Amino acid sequence: QVRLAESGGGSVQAGGSLRLSCAASRATYRMAWFRQAPGKGREGVADIYGGNDVPRYADSVKGRFTISRNSARKDLYLQMNSLKPEDTAMYYCAATNMGPRDHSISEVDFNYWGQGTQVTVSS
């Protein structure tokens, strides 16, 4: 029912910036960015929810990444600054109409997913 399409991935040098976008077919209450690096599990990077668009971040990206969405709550963004090689991963957009259960950004909370966009950071 909700289709998500990511864009903006690519290759960048360490210290550079990249801006990811996610276009949703309809508005949802909560959206998030996840990432999965080779040999690692899927990690919740950041989420945003509610009418006030409250943002939350994983410790690994806090101070470097900024999550936001437009007033229609359909377009999601992730501004990625000061990129590091360890940020290299497939990045996924996710959405749900349910609020957070706790303080975590857990993949099991989300029922709508995009196909992902690759981010590669070289040193």
Side-chain angles (χ1 to χ4, degrees):
Q1 302 99 313
V2 180
R3 298 182 63 183
L4 305 174
E6 303 98 333
S7 62
S11 182
V12 66
Q13 292 185 337
S17 297
L18 210 58
R19 184 172 182 259
L20 305 183
S21 298
C22 174
S25 61
R26 65 179 67 180
T28 59
Y29 183 81
R30 183 185 179 204
M31 301 182 75
W33 288 100
F34 289 81
R35 67 185 182 185
Q36 187 166 19
K40 297 182 179 180
R42 190 165 296 183
E43 175 190 16
V45 176
D47 70 350
I48 189 166
Y49 60 91
N52 292 328
D53 282 343
V54 179
R56 306 188 301 173
Y57 301 93
D59 288 341
S60 59
V61 306
K62 194 171 298 182
R64 299 188 297 122
F65 291 9
T66 302
I67 188 171
S68 63
R69 61 180 177 178
N70 66 0
S71 59
R73 307 196 314 277
K74 292 177 66 178
D75 295 327
L76 180 71
Y77 308 98
L78 186 67
Q79 180 65 46
M80 309 165 68
N81 298 327
S82 301
L83 283 163
K84 305 174 180 178
E86 50 262 45
D87 294 319
T88 296
M90 184 73 74
Y91 283 72
Y92 299 91
C93 175
T96 179
N97 280 313
M98 301 296 292
R101 294 180 294 106
D102 50 34
H103 292 94
S104 69
I105 305 173
S106 175
E107 61 183 289
V108 302
D109 291 343
F110 295 86
N111 53 336
Y112 303 114
W113 292 85
Q115 290 187 295
T117 184
Q118 179 68 40
V119 172
T120 302
V121 184
S122 60
S123 60

